Amino acid sequence: MKCLKLWLWACAVSLVVGCGGVPAEAAVDESEALSTSSEELVGCYASCSDGTTVTCPTTPVTCTSTNYVGVVCDGTTYACPPTGCRPGMPTCSFARTKICLDLSSFPCCDGGEQGQCICRQVGSTPRCL
């Protein structure tokens, strides 16, 4: 167990050191520091249903991302490429009436375009985009 903790600590240190670290003047609470440094290290990107990734063309000041939808970089939207529906794929309106049995995501069809439904809570209905 000690070896695993030591290994995890060493990985975290090498990741921070290898990426330039967090500026010393950034005096924030622990939870804010974690989310800020994670965003800085990982970047802003969205996975698309066709297997591609959408990201900002330049380093943005503000960025939000939603998997299977796209990214918004400084107010400009970069969407995932549209994909067609596959035979047997449920419509998004039908999928919204189902109950989530686990925390997962699955594709749906909306007017010939492929959408994505996300289950965030077991027993709830999925959020479909």
Side-chain angles (χ1 to χ4, degrees), residues 18 21 24 41 53 60 64 88 90 111 117:
L41 297 175
T53 300
T64 58
C117 295

Side-chain angles (χ1 to χ4, degrees), residues 74-120:
D74 294 330
T76 303
T77 301
Y78 298 92
C80 285
T83 56
C85 297
R86 294 187 307 268
M89 188 179 293
T91 63
C92 294
S93 59
F94 176 74
R96 285 184 191 103
T97 66
K98 297 299 168 195
I99 300 295
C100 293
L101 301 176
D102 59 12
L103 302 178
S104 63
S105 62
F106 57 92
C108 63
C109 187
D110 190 18
E113 296 278 323
Q114 185 172 325
Q116 193 71 18
C117 295
I118 302 166
C119 288
R120 296 186 181 189

